[in-house]
């Protein structure tokens, strides 16, 4: 699942999904990372400028969920995405953020390969620090969604359940920077 609803408030209101990376919208790069990392079907949660994102980006083969509450923060997008997955028969959701182009398919594949059951809770780590992507077994979705508020997403849930998290070191194959400010745009190609 790709969370791509952010409005880029610190980027002057430029929706992150539409930032250009390697000649295409950043959302396309992130979707390719998920697919190349072995994920499917791929779900994307849009919010800011959702219609424009759908018009400009190739989202073919994806399930698209539009989160009308996207200004409330990442928590609302995580809830919307997990809600869209409910009833699909999926055993887990691997969550990637659109604004982390330094995380590639190898990191996704590593986190995905640590799945063991519908109770799995897996996160990439960078020099021992928990980061993204994160995998939630389906039996955890209701509790994750219940605690997903504001811009915190699943942070509180992960902190509360830290002893259950399988950390998968990814610092040798990925960089976990975010594209949040104008200075961060230097990471885009």
């Amino acid at each position: 699942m790709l969370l791509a609803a952010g409005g880029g408030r610190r980027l002057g209101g430029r929706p992150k999904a539409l930032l250009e990376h390697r000649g295409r919208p950043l959302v396309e790069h992130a979707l390719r990372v998920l697919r190349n990392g072995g994920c499917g079907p791929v779900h994307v949660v849009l919010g800011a400028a959702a219609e424009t994102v759908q018009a400009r980006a190739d989202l073919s083969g994806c399930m698209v969920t539009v989160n009308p509450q996207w200004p409330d923060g990442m928590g609302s997008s995580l809830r919307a995405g997990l809600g869209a997955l409910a009833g699909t028969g999926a055993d887990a959701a691997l969550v990637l953020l659109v604004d982390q182009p330094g995380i590639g398919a190898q990191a996704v594949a590593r986190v995905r390969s640590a799945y063991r059951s519908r109770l799995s809770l897996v996160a990439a780590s960078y020099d021992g620090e928990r980061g993204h992507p994160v995998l939630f077994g389906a039996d955890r979705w209701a509790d994750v969604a219940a605690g997903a508020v504001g811009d915190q997403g699943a942070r509180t849930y992960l902190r509360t359940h830290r002893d259950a998290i399988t950390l998968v070191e990814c610092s040798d194959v990925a960089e976990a920077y975010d594209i949040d400010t104008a200075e961060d745009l230097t990471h885009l190609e």
Side-chain angles (χ1 to χ4, degrees), residues 116-162:
R116 297 293 177 264
S117 75
R118 292 173 60 93
L119 282 172
S120 287
L121 186 57
V122 183
S125 68
Y126 300 90
D127 297 322
E129 295 294 318
R130 180 180 47 78
H132 285 91
V134 177
L135 181 144
F136 300 103
D139 289 352
R140 295 186 179 272
W141 294 354
D143 289 339
V144 170
V149 295
D151 281 327
Q152 298 298 304
R155 193 172 299 152
T156 301
Y157 181 87
L158 292 167
R159 192 176 310 119
T160 303
H161 295 85
R162 72 176 145 262

Side-chain angles (χ1 to χ4, degrees), residues 162-176:
R162 72 176 145 262
D163 291 341
I165 300 173
T166 299
L167 291 176
V168 179
E169 186 60 43
C170 292
S171 60
D172 61 321
V173 296
E175 295 179 77

Side-chain angles (χ1 to χ4, degrees), residues 5-166:
R9 194 172 45 248
R10 290 180 281 174
L11 288 166
R14 295 170 59 191
K16 291 182 178 185
L18 290 174
L19 295 174
E20 190 171 305
H21 183 57
R22 299 179 181 161
R24 297 296 304 154
L26 190 56
V27 66
E28 287 182 15
H29 168 77
L31 292 171
R32 192 169 37 258
V33 165
L34 286 170
R35 287 184 180 118
N36 291 345
C39 295
V42 177
H43 295 245
V44 59
V45 179
L46 301 177
E51 288 180 15
T52 305
V53 173
Q54 289 176 306
R56 290 188 189 167
D58 180 2
L59 305 179
S60 58
C62 295
M63 179 179 165
V64 176
T65 299
V66 177
N67 174 20
Q69 271 72 50
W70 68 267
D72 294 343
M74 188 187 343
S76 68
S77 292
L78 182 57
R79 287 192 312 274
L82 291 174
L85 287 174
T88 64
D91 290 319
L94 185 142
V95 179
L96 183 67
L97 307 180
V98 75
D99 68 347
Q100 294 189 320
I103 297 175
Q106 286 183 291
V108 168
R110 282 185 185 177
V111 170
R112 184 179 172 273
S113 70
Y115 170 83
R116 297 293 177 264
S117 75
R118 292 173 60 93
L119 282 172
S120 287
L121 186 57
V122 183
S125 68
Y126 300 90
D127 297 322
E129 295 294 318
R130 180 180 47 78
H132 285 91
V134 177
L135 181 144
F136 300 103
D139 289 352
R140 295 186 179 272
W141 294 354
D143 289 339
V144 170
V149 295
D151 281 327
Q152 298 298 304
R155 193 172 299 152
T156 301
Y157 181 87
L158 292 167
R159 192 176 310 119
T160 303
H161 295 85
R162 72 176 145 262
D163 291 341
I165 300 173
T166 299

